[in-house]
Amino acid sequence: MHTETLGSIFLNSLLINNFVLSAFLGICPFLGVSNKLDTASRMGMAVTFVMFVSSMCAYGVNVLLLWIEAPYLQLISYIVIIASAVQLVEMFIKKFSPALFRALGIFLPLITTNCAILGLALFQTAKGYNFVESLVYAIGAGAGFTLAIVLMAGIREELELTSVPGIIKGTAIVLIIAGILSMTFMGFAGLA
Amino acid sequence: MSTPASHTAPNTEPKTSSTTPTNAAPNAPANAPANPGGSAKMILTLGTVGLISSILLVMTYNWTLPYIEANQLVYLEASLKEVLPEATSRTEWRLVGEDMVPDDGSFTIEPRLFAGFRDDGSLQGVAIEAQGQGYADVIKIIYAYAPDCACIIGMKVLESRETPGLGDKIGNDENFKSNFDELDVRWNDERNATEGPLELIKQGTNLSAWQIDGISGATISSKAITDILNSSNEVVLKAIHARLDQLRAPTNE
Amino acid sequence: MSNSAHNTPAAARAASTIPDLVNEKGGMDDFLKGLWKENPVFVQVLGMCPVLAVTNTVTNSFVMGVATTFVLVMSAIMVSATRSFIPKQVRIATYILIIATFVTVADYAIKAVSLSAHRSLGAFISLIVVNCIILGRAEAFSSRNGIKDSVMDALGMGIGFTFAILMLGVIRESLGSGSLAGIPIFGSNYEPWVIMVLPGGAFFVLGFLLLGINAMNTRRSGVKN
């Protein structure tokens, strides 16, 4: 019996429990690829896309694992299926949409080791979402990741134009900005 | 700083920085090996590692399973003790649709219900699992309903991510918890609906038997608990009263 | 395997940017470098997800540190022991399999020892798999060194990681809840800084710690020059 509606699942994963700013998933790309607005938004799109695909795969794998009663294979299967899915998606895009491949291409292999993707697969299983709920959750989480990384990139582009003291440059200031963003996002709690 | 790779193994190669994709998929060698024996060796290696991994995992799983089950039982019994303190034995049920059926272990996500019995075999109450959207994330609770007084006699928060220091008071504020010592969810004459749904009121205002005294500073979390109880009661209470005779029997036949 | 050209996968590429400090003194130095000079959290800034996510209490930090160290050491042994049999092309896949196996073992072990510890860490135990520190050490160190050196390296990195997240845990729990490992330390009059145990606090504490380390390094190099 789920009391969550699709809308509240979406809002939850997009804003209230934002993957980056509240659940701390996908911090590496958030710190690493957020210095340019353009790359950040493409990274966000790539992550959303991969999340959508691996959410579907993870749902299927979980059904299979429950059927053969092998819950201990969950983690291994998820990580293998995500890595394979990323490879297939990459080959597929390369063949059918070179333009999209040029936009997302170099990010795809990086995403395999992004903990947001594995986290999504694990959370949707832990929360017991059905197929449609899982997909909505994946889209919300992807959009939430994109939102966070684009916001951060916007701030960092502005930061380029100001004089920042030497000792706080680099990761330190990004983390402190992320803290402020995270506090801002707390204001969304209670929305769903 | 020391020089890199001074005692590297003989078979390592200089690092390249090509941007070609990872080879995580077992049979997707983008760079086909020169000799045909290469791919056989790769498959063999991955197969062997996979086999060893699976054996190790099955061993761990079988070895830890009894401990994990014992831990889960301890946790469940501690929660039940809190909401049904007088109960010493129980029967387990599941809520399937709008009906409750004995739990034969074949269910996974259906909410659980536990009928708790006193030493003399009388029914103290039924503990019910319920969940709903809170301020931050889904809140999971267990609460006890006593058919004799048609009231809620205990509530415990099992899982919540409410704001520490504010919203999480729903789990540890004694004043709020005391709301659920005897909370009226009485039925009307037709025995098909509660007299009135539970109602959340401001802290310190005069309290009727079906009103919940909220926590100041955690209004949304208190409201969430009220809503969870109301929506769960709507279904569960009918199911309990429909099967009351069966429930009073201390064993599932 | 022949020395045919191979692809450096993305994850390994991230790992190979770590200065490859293999030294002749072996053993002890491999162990010590992880503690401070190459501390995975403060210096290499790797594995940020668990560092931020589970440091709201000292207990969580400790369990996470021990679990990560266990996975690091066990996978270092396996990777190092099998390094001459594994074909280059599938090594990352093999490492991931090995790591995922030990993470699952750690997951079940924690569940068996304490369900409440497992509940409060949740999915973050499973997420050790994608902690870049582990794959990074497997690729950059264990795959090209003997078992003993690899274990020392893994232990050093693991303890360095544990030290770092314990430091965050102590700061966040003492300020945010006025307690350490659940035991109140400031008395009942203390009004906790709730922000410290909230997500925002995690970013702030780590940000200011890095700032402090930067400042310290700047001052030290200033004295030297």
Side-chain angles (χ1 to χ4, degrees):
Chain A
M1 186 174 73
H2 292 296
T3 41
E4 277 182 293
T5 60
L6 289 180
S8 77
I9 290 176
F10 182 76
L11 278 179
N12 244 335
S13 56
L14 174 70
L15 297 172
I16 304 168
N17 290 307
N18 184 283
F19 261 46
V20 179
L21 296 170
S22 164
F24 303 111
L25 296 168
I27 298 290
C28 292
F30 179 67
L31 298 179
V33 202
S34 61
N35 43 7
K36 286 274 181 303
L37 204 53
D38 173 52
T39 26
S41 54
R42 283 193 287 163
M43 180 72 183
M45 269 155 56
V47 167
T48 312
F49 188 63
V50 174
M51 274 185 169
F52 188 76
V53 175
S54 43
S55 165
M56 273 194 287
C57 299
Y59 185 82
V61 169
N62 194 45
V63 169
L64 188 73
L65 286 180
L66 284 179
W67 184 59
I68 61 169
E69 293 179 355
Y72 43 86
L73 289 180
Q74 190 190 54
L75 187 59
I76 290 197
S77 337
Y78 279 5
I79 192 111
V80 169
I81 206 82
I82 288 171
S84 319
V86 172
Q87 287 261 287
L88 287 176
V89 165
E90 193 180 354
M91 287 183 226
F92 189 79
I93 299 183
K94 200 174 188 175
K95 183 139 173 59
F96 293 102
S97 171
L100 192 62
F101 183 75
R102 272 195 298 280
L104 305 183
I106 57 158
F107 297 113
L108 286 172
L110 279 169
I111 291 170
T112 316
T113 50
N114 182 340
C115 56
I117 312 286
L118 184 65
L120 176 90
L122 291 167
F123 283 157
Q124 77 179 32
T125 319
K127 286 171 181 260
Y129 286 155
N130 64 27
F131 188 66
V132 177
E133 286 170 334
S134 298
L135 290 187
V136 171
Y137 188 57
I139 296 170
F145 177 86
T146 313
L147 181 65
I149 198 169
V150 164
L151 279 175
M152 178 55 92
I155 296 172
R156 283 180 76 174
E157 281 198 345
E158 292 294 313
L159 218 56
E160 295 272 293
L161 306 172
T162 57
S163 58
V164 177
I167 53 164
I168 200 176
K169 265 190 187 147
T171 320
I173 194 164
V174 179
L175 282 168
I176 291 167
I177 295 170
I180 299 169
L181 277 179
S182 166
M183 279 172 67
T184 320
F185 268 64
M186 273 178 61
F188 290 119
L191 205 64
Chain B
M1 304 293 262
S2 53
T3 49
S6 46
H7 63 183
T8 32
N11 63 343
T12 47
E13 299 152 325
K15 281 193 276 289
T16 60
S17 56
S18 76
T19 50
T20 17
T22 152
N23 271 338
N27 46 7
N31 48 339
N35 51 337
S39 55
K41 188 179 174 190
M42 279 188 261
I43 293 167
L44 193 70
T45 315
L46 275 178
T48 318
V49 173
L51 191 71
I52 297 171
S53 296
S54 322
I55 294 170
L56 194 65
L57 285 183
V58 172
M59 272 165 53
T60 317
Y61 180 70
N62 286 334
W63 179 59
T64 53
L65 193 62
Y67 297 98
I68 294 171
E69 280 176 346
N71 279 343
Q72 278 166 343
L73 196 65
V74 168
Y75 183 78
L76 173 70
E77 278 174 351
S79 313
L80 286 178
K81 195 89 212 158
E82 211 164 304
V83 293
L84 290 173
E86 291 165 31
T88 49
S89 65
R90 62 169 187 275
T91 53
E92 303 189 1
W93 300 73
R94 293 276 187 164
L95 186 73
V96 181
E98 301 210 331
D99 194 11
M100 51 193 290
V101 295
D103 189 357
D104 55 7
S106 64
F107 302 101
T108 48
I109 56 164
E110 289 82 3
R112 291 187 292 183
L113 302 119
F114 306 92
F117 301 92
R118 299 187 186 90
D119 267 339
D120 59 5
S122 61
L123 180 73
Q124 195 203 356
V126 184
I128 302 147
E129 280 186 342
Q131 58 172 334
Q133 175 68 40
Y135 184 66
D137 204 342
V138 173
I139 302 176
K140 287 185 183 164
I141 62 167
I142 188 164
Y143 67 100
Y145 171 75
D148 294 333
C149 69
C151 56
I152 289 175
I153 53 173
M155 189 278 295
K156 179 182 160 65
V157 176
L158 296 177
E159 229 179 284
S160 90
R161 289 192 50 207
E162 304 299 277
T163 321
L166 298 170
D168 74 341
K169 283 186 185 161
I170 52 168
N172 51 29
D173 187 276
E174 286 307 322
N175 198 28
F176 184 67
K177 273 188 164 175
S178 68
N179 277 311
F180 305 98
D181 289 344
E182 197 179 335
L183 188 63
D184 192 352
V185 283
R186 215 172 10 187
W187 284 27
N188 62 7
D189 290 343
E190 286 85 34
R191 299 215 138 233
N192 57 11
T194 51
E195 186 182 47
L198 298 173
E199 206 173 22
L200 185 74
I201 56 164
K202 256 195 211 139
Q203 187 166 29
T205 42
N206 221 353
L207 205 60
S208 298
W210 65 89
Q211 288 176 327
I212 297 174
D213 196 355
I215 306 170
S216 56
T219 316
I220 296 179
S221 304
S222 319
K223 181 84 169 61
I225 297 288
T226 315
D227 291 345
I228 294 171
L229 289 172
N230 273 332
S231 62
S232 168
N233 280 343
E234 223 170 89
V235 182
V236 174
L237 298 196
K238 272 182 215 161
I240 288 176
H241 280 272
R243 295 217 176 232
L244 202 52
D245 294 333
Q246 217 179 327
L247 262 176
R248 285 192 193 278
T251 49
N252 283 338
E253 57 268 46
Chain C
M1 279 310 292
S2 61
N3 275 5
S4 60
H6 73 283
N7 299 328
T8 303
R13 202 149 23 93
S16 64
T17 57
I18 306 161
D20 200 0
L21 291 192
V22 185
N23 53 56
E24 291 80 4
K25 287 173 223 152
M28 214 49 210
D29 281 20
D30 287 333
F31 175 70
L32 288 176
K33 71 174 189 290
L35 297 188
W36 186 254
K37 203 168 70 187
E38 280 182 56
N39 186 290
V41 176
F42 294 140
V43 181
Q44 300 177 18
V45 200
L46 286 178
M48 285 296 108
C49 301
V51 170
L52 295 165
V54 303
T55 48
N56 52 350
T57 68
V58 174
T59 323
N60 279 357
S61 307
F62 181 73
V63 175
M64 181 50 114
V66 171
T68 309
T69 310
F70 166 79
V71 177
L72 259 167
V73 172
M74 295 310 283
S75 41
I77 295 174
M78 287 289 281
V79 168
S80 179
T82 54
R83 69 185 189 281
S84 46
F85 317 120
I86 308 285
K88 282 282 139 198
Q89 292 89 335
V90 292
R91 69 190 190 293
I92 298 295
T94 320
Y95 300 160
I96 289 181
L97 266 180
I98 292 173
I99 295 168
T101 308
F102 287 115
V103 171
T104 314
V105 170
D107 188 50
Y108 279 108
I110 293 173
K111 235 188 214 171
V113 173
S114 162
L115 205 60
S116 64
H118 190 269
R119 288 176 87 92
S120 57
L121 287 173
F124 281 96
I125 300 172
S126 303
L127 286 172
I128 296 176
V129 172
V130 280
N131 189 331
C132 353
I133 299 170
I134 297 172
L135 192 60
R137 289 333 283 173
E139 164 71 10
F141 198 96
S142 311
S143 65
R144 52 193 68 173
N145 284 292
I147 293 182
K148 185 171 151 277
D149 287 352
S150 302
V151 169
M152 291 311 262
D153 173 75
L155 259 183
M157 287 293 159
I159 293 171
F161 178 77
T162 311
F163 164 72
I165 62 172
L166 268 179
M167 195 159 150
L168 258 90
V170 167
I171 297 174
R172 288 183 65 196
E173 192 183 348
S174 61
L175 295 179
S177 332
S179 63
L180 279 182
I183 304 155
I185 49 166
F186 288 143
S188 55
N189 284 332
Y190 179 71
E191 186 60 44
W193 305 12
V194 173
I195 181 69
M196 283 297 167
V197 289
L198 295 177
F203 286 114
F204 286 135
V205 174
L206 187 62
F208 281 108
L209 275 176
L210 290 179
L211 190 154
I213 289 168
N214 275 350
M216 225 166 68
N217 288 344
T218 316
R219 183 169 301 169
R220 195 176 292 165
S221 62
V223 169
K224 263 184 208 160
N225 298 340

